[in-house]
Amino acid sequence: MKTKNVLFAAVLAVCTMGGLAAAGEDLRQITVTGEGQLAVAPDQAVITLGVTKEASEADAAMAAVSKEMSAVVAALRGAGIDPADLQTRQVLLQPIWSKTGSLVSGTAHKITGFSASNNLALKVRNLDQLGPVLDLVLKAGANQFQGLSFGVADLEEVKDQMRDAAVADGIRKARQLAKAAQMVLGPVRMISDHDQGGGRPMMAMEMARSSAMPIEAGELNYSHSVQMVFDLLVPEAE
C-alpha cells in the first residue's frame, strides 16, 4: 500500500510540472515603456532674496539686517502679497577675518567685523506682478538674490495629463510591436508608474536696479513614463 502511494504521488508531481510547463509555453507577453511629455506655461514663481549687512559688532550687523528685512516684508505685504507666501529660509551671522602683521613679523588673522544676512523665499502667484515686485524689494532694501524658479500651481493636473499621454504612448508602441510580430495584442497585465518630475528650471539673478526689469517666463517641460506589460495572443486561423 505504501509503495502505491509513493508511485501515485510521483505521477501526480510529473503531471503537475508538465501542466505548468505547458502553461508557461503558452504565456506570451510584451513589455513596453510609454512616455508622455508636456510643455506648459508657468503661472507662478518663487524668488529667493535677502539682505546682507556688515558692522564692527555682531549685534549692530544683525540689527541692520533686521531693520532692512522688516522693511522688505512690510513693502511686500503692502503690495498684497499673502503672508503665507513669505518664508524665511536662512539667517546667518559670520565673523569677518582680516590679515594683520607684515612679511617680517608674520601674518595673523583677527576678527575685524561681522556680516549678517537674512534670506527670504517669496512666491508670486501673478506673473504680471513679477517685475514690479522685484523693483519693490530692491527699493525696500533687498541687496541679494539667490535665484528665481517658475512653476505651476496645479501640478497634479499636469501629472494626470502626462500619465494619460504616457499610457496612450505605451498602447501605441505595444500595438505596433505586436503587429510587426504578427501577433494580436491582448489585455494589459501590469502598469508601473514612474514619476520623473521635470520642469522647474532655475535661473540665477545678479543684483541690479531696474525700473522695468524684463522677465521672460517661457515654458516648463515635464516628462513622465510608465512601464506596461501586455499579453500577446496567437491570431486565429482563418
Side-chain angles (χ1 to χ4, degrees):
M1 180 66 69
K2 184 176 181 180
T3 303
K4 290 183 179 180
N5 290 339
V6 172
L7 180 60
F8 175 76
V11 172
L12 178 62
V14 170
C15 292
T16 302
M17 292 177 63
L20 292 175
E25 291 174 356
D26 292 336
L27 182 63
R28 296 177 175 85
Q29 291 185 329
I30 182 173
T31 301
V32 297
T33 298
E35 298 175 335
Q37 290 86 31
L38 190 64
V40 298
D43 56 15
Q44 65 181 23
V46 175
I47 308 167
T48 306
L49 57 90
V51 175
T52 299
K53 293 291 182 179
E54 295 182 0
S56 58
E57 299 297 332
D59 58 347
M62 189 60 74
V65 165
S66 298
K67 180 180 179 180
E68 295 290 343
M69 183 54 77
S70 295
V72 170
V73 171
L76 290 170
R77 291 184 177 180
I81 300 297
D82 192 325
D85 292 332
L86 301 175
Q87 185 179 58
T88 298
R89 288 291 176 86
Q90 191 177 53
V91 178
L92 290 177
L93 178 65
Q94 298 176 319
I96 299 173
W97 295 87
S98 299
K99 294 181 179 180
T100 62
S102 63
L103 295 176
V104 177
S105 61
T107 301
H109 292 80
K110 70 174 184 178
I111 296 176
T112 57
F114 292 86
S115 174
S117 63
N118 186 324
N119 296 330
L120 178 74
L122 159 66
K123 181 178 289 186
V124 180
R125 298 181 183 272
N126 182 356
L127 293 185
D128 291 338
Q129 295 180 345
L130 192 54
V133 165
L134 288 171
D135 276 343
L136 179 68
V137 297
L138 290 175
K139 291 178 180 178
N143 58 6
Q144 192 177 50
F145 278 88
Q146 278 72 48
L148 167 66
S149 64
F150 292 101
V152 293
D154 193 353
L155 185 57
E156 291 305 314
E157 174 62 25
V158 173
K159 289 182 178 181
D160 288 346
Q161 293 182 40
M162 287 190 298
R163 288 190 186 97
D164 289 343
V167 170
D169 182 59
I171 294 173
R172 179 190 63 80
K173 289 178 179 178
R175 283 176 176 168
Q176 190 273 328
L177 291 172
K179 181 179 179 181
Q182 297 182 349
M183 302 289 286
V184 175
L185 187 65
V188 179
R189 289 296 179 183
M190 184 190 73
I191 300 178
S192 179
D193 190 35
H194 301 283
D195 189 353
Q196 297 174 275
R200 300 186 182 278
M202 292 292 294
M203 180 177 69
M205 297 186 64
E206 296 293 335
M207 191 64 191
R209 175 69 182 92
S210 171
S211 59
M213 186 177 293
I215 302 294
E216 298 297 333
E219 287 186 335
L220 296 177
N221 295 305
Y222 292 91
S223 60
H224 200 91
S225 68
V226 295
Q227 190 174 59
M228 306 177 69
V229 178
F230 295 83
D231 283 352
L232 282 180
L233 308 177
V234 178
E236 297 181 0
E238 296 182 358

